[in-house]
Amino acid sequence: MSIQATITLDRDSRIGEIDPRLYGSFIEHLGRAVYGGIYEPGHPTADDEGFRTDVLDLVRALNVTIVRYPGGNFVSGYDWEDGVGPRSARPSRLDLAWRSLEPNQVGVNEFVSWCRKAGAEPMMAVNLGTRGPDAARRLVEYCNHSGGSAWSDQRRAHGYAAPHGIKLWCLGNEMDGPWQIGAKTAEEYGRVACETAKVMKWVDPTIELVVCGSSHLAMPTFGQWEITALNHTYEHVDYISLHTYYGNRDGNTPRFLGRSVQMDQFIAKVVRICDDIKARKGGKKDIHLSFDEWNVWYHSNEADRKQEPWQVAPPLLEDIYNFEDALVVGCMLITLLKHADRVKIACLAQLVNVIAPIMTVTGGGAWRQTIYYPFLHASNLGRGTALDLRAQSPVYDDPEIGPIPYLEAVGTLDPAQEALTLFAVNRSPEQDLTLTGDLRGFAGYRVAQHTVLRHDDPHATNTLAHPNAVTPSALPVAPGDGKSLHITLPRFSWNVVRLVKSS
Ligand code: AHR
């Protein structure tokens, strides 16, 4: 017996326009993300700036739109001036966040150059841990002012005549977390974020700012932190950040697959707080959400504890993702799309080697992890308008999370191509799911493609030796009658169903 679920495809069930920045990612000075990841002079594929072109090819295919940098926890102790100017004069510093040695051979200029090659926009974070408004306003001037001032002329002297035009900036990182260098109370953070935001925008009024929300939903100060931070900064900021990572530490796969339900609740709560602050302040603008760290993260925790401190680019946070992780990432992507009206920015954390879809061997090859594929599909096909599918699905119960539907699904309508794409996960490890759809708003649309990611072993992984153990495949399609949809989502699978209009 299969599970039966239904959806309704209606043009009126529009959630919102999908901001392309929903398909962002993250490169932190952490482990081998930078050194041995995106940058490795001397590697057989390195270009004239030392960037690995094998990695660039994999990043470009992902169609990543923005990349957050340079942290993460790292930014809270970072002096950006260390990473500019002649490389031979750049200092090596102790990075207290990851207990590593930072050689500063890549800094903001190199990163922007790498972004251009990757086809992505940079999203910069400023240090509000050990520094504040002064360093932040100078960094904006260095990056975005055309010239004729001390900091912009320094950039020009460093070989970058044109301003970088960085539009999106984070006001620190996870400032509520005791693990953060220079962690703050909500009041302390709200004040410094406000003053920093003001001077950054005075230097460049075209920039957009993200204020730090809580580090995750379970932080004891969640809610009050957002209220306080926004009370101080509402007038000056555009987005508030959310972060979340999930793991299957106790081997409870049904619960792990249901974690995105909590992500959904997290988003809904932060939206309510943003709207409440707007109403209380009699404000005109909506504060949107920047989910600028999200992923699965737990496989590497044990190994990381054994690393010797103060190495350059140690192998930290090198999670090797399995098939079930890809399903969780798929559910999280669907959840972001279901909130496309308010979540305008999201960053899969991270991009290369560090809890990443792309892995490399320093001096060797590169490969795609299992989680690469749901992101690849959503980023390339999930553009345009997000549609609520009004899914009706049986649920299973989890004592911690509550009811979890077997079907997780969302639709996207790409008006340029008149194509409708359904992203769907069947969470059942045992049963296929028969999906019936009413095509009432899309009469004449027929299934053109059904791509699936599935594997009999939830713990199957890709490795350099076996890079294609978990890869998507095409399922045979029955185009349908143009009035209704009948498809089977195999047990435990990520599905991308493409419908196009045909007479
Ligand atoms: O992405 C890894 C780390 O997770 C980031 O540095 C930090 O912001 C979060 O705690």
Side-chain angles (χ1 to χ4, degrees):
M1 264 296 279
S2 64
I3 298 164
Q4 311 288 316
T6 64
I7 54 174
T8 305
L9 289 146
D10 205 324
R11 285 181 193 269
D12 294 338
S13 302
R14 215 178 146 272
I15 298 168
E17 288 309 297
I18 301 162
D19 191 312
R21 296 172 302 171
L22 206 63
Y23 302 113
S25 190
F26 181 22
I27 289 283
E28 177 167 2
H29 282 257
L30 193 187
R32 296 190 309 120
V34 175
Y35 309 109
I38 63 169
Y39 176 77
E40 196 184 332
H43 188 271
T45 72
D47 68 10
D48 55 348
E49 292 183 280
F51 297 130
R52 285 184 63 152
T53 57
D54 58 343
V55 172
L56 271 170
D57 288 344
L58 292 171
V59 173
R60 273 191 220 107
L62 276 182
N63 218 346
V64 171
T65 51
I66 53 164
V67 183
R68 187 165 173 255
Y69 175 86
N73 297 340
F74 172 80
V75 77
S76 296
Y78 182 52
D79 295 328
W80 65 265
E81 301 88 338
D82 289 346
V84 298
R87 279 204 168 101
S88 56
R90 298 187 195 175
S92 286
R93 301 265 189 215
L94 295 188
D95 160 27
L96 303 186
W98 301 105
R99 293 170 60 75
S100 304
L101 191 65
E102 171 53 52
N104 281 304
Q105 292 304 291
V106 170
V108 62
N109 294 319
E110 290 84 16
F111 180 69
V112 170
S113 183
W114 180 84
C115 279
R116 304 289 177 235
K117 291 181 176 179
E121 287 296 321
M123 175 187 194
M124 277 300 285
V126 300
N127 175 355
L128 293 189
T130 58
R131 303 188 80 182
D134 203 34
R137 75 178 167 120
R138 287 166 190 228
L139 179 56
V140 178
E141 180 184 325
Y142 181 91
C143 291
N144 286 6
H145 197 70
S146 57
S149 67
W151 291 103
S152 59
D153 283 347
Q154 273 227 22
R155 183 201 66 243
R156 297 173 73 93
H158 292 156
Y160 297 84
H164 294 321
I166 301 175
K167 281 279 164 284
L168 200 52
W169 297 77
C170 306
L171 293 164
N173 176 72
E174 296 190 348
M175 297 309 304
D176 60 331
W179 58 86
Q180 202 68 214
I181 303 166
K184 296 186 168 32
T185 65
E187 280 292 338
E188 289 165 349
Y189 173 67
R191 282 295 303 130
V192 78
C194 169
E195 294 306 320
T196 306
K198 273 164 49 184
V199 293
M200 289 173 76
K201 283 196 170 173
W202 286 346
V203 175
D204 182 353
T206 70
I207 63 173
E208 292 191 306
L209 295 175
V210 184
V211 69
C212 285
S214 299
S215 299
H216 54 81
L217 179 60
M219 289 300 286
T221 46
F222 171 74
Q224 198 50 50
W225 174 277
E226 278 73 7
I227 291 168
T228 309
L230 281 173
N231 252 328
H232 282 290
T233 59
Y234 173 83
E235 288 78 10
H236 308 290
V237 303
D238 307 281
Y239 308 92
I240 187 163
S241 73
L242 297 83
H243 292 179
T244 208
Y245 296 98
Y246 299 125
N248 189 4
R249 291 192 177 77
D250 54 0
N252 186 339
T253 294
R255 175 175 297 168
F256 183 43
L257 264 285
R259 288 289 178 199
S260 59
V261 172
Q262 291 180 319
M263 184 186 194
D264 186 90
Q265 293 162 357
F266 186 12
I267 293 171
K269 286 179 185 180
V270 176
V271 167
R272 280 202 291 276
I273 293 171
C274 291
D275 291 349
D276 184 51
I277 299 284
K278 177 187 172 189
R280 284 196 216 187
K281 284 186 174 268
K284 288 207 168 37
K285 69 172 180 193
D286 286 328
I287 299 291
H288 290 298
L289 276 52
S290 173
F291 217 124
D292 46 45
E293 287 188 33
W294 67 270
N295 202 350
V296 168
W297 173 14
Y298 75 106
H299 297 284
S300 58
N301 294 165
E302 194 66 35
D304 288 348
R305 281 190 274 274
K306 297 181 186 140
Q307 281 297 327
E308 286 298 316
W310 318 127
Q311 303 174 68
V312 174
L316 289 173
L317 278 66
E318 298 207 359
D319 275 42
I320 298 302
Y321 289 115
N322 59 31
F323 171 63
E324 68 178 23
D325 298 329
L327 295 186
V328 173
V329 163
C331 288
M332 293 175 88
L333 279 161
I334 292 170
T335 305
L336 292 168
L337 284 164
K338 282 163 104 175
H339 291 278
D341 55 335
R342 294 306 291 270
V343 182
K344 297 295 173 187
I345 298 162
C347 302
L348 172 67
Q350 300 191 10
L351 188 55
V352 185
N353 288 334
V354 170
I355 43 174
I358 299 168
M359 291 302 290
T360 73
V361 171
T362 304
W367 75 97
R368 300 167 187 83
Q369 296 234 53
T370 60
I371 64 166
Y372 184 92
Y373 294 105
F375 190 95
L376 174 82
H377 296 147
S379 174
N380 281 283
L381 299 171
R383 304 288 178 125
T385 308
L387 292 178
D388 179 358
L389 297 178
R390 293 194 245 148
Q392 298 290 328
S393 163
V395 298
Y396 59 96
D397 274 307
D398 179 84
E400 199 186 306
I401 300 175
I404 300 167
Y406 284 104
L407 172 69
E408 190 60 79
V410 74
T412 63
L413 175 63
D414 181 343
Q417 303 192 15
E418 277 282 302
L420 189 58
T421 306
L422 312 181
F423 298 101
V425 170
N426 174 3
R427 288 190 172 103
S428 171
E430 281 111 29
Q431 290 173 283
D432 291 349
L433 187 149
T434 304
L435 184 63
T436 308
D438 179 343
L439 284 177
R440 68 178 66 165
F442 293 93
Y445 276 70
R446 290 179 167 80
V447 178
Q449 259 178 321
H450 183 172
T451 306
V452 71
L453 188 69
R454 60 176 168 170
H455 202 285
D456 287 338
D457 178 5
H459 300 117
T461 58
N462 292 338
T463 59
L464 185 62
H466 300 285
N468 298 320
V470 183
T471 46
S473 56
L475 287 185
V477 292
D481 58 7
K483 293 188 192 125
S484 58
L485 174 79
H486 300 280
I487 46 173
T488 300
L489 310 182
R491 69 188 177 90
F492 226 42
S493 62
W494 159 259
N495 299 263
V496 185
V497 180
R498 192 94 170 144
L499 292 102
V500 291
K501 194 169 171 110
S502 61
S503 45

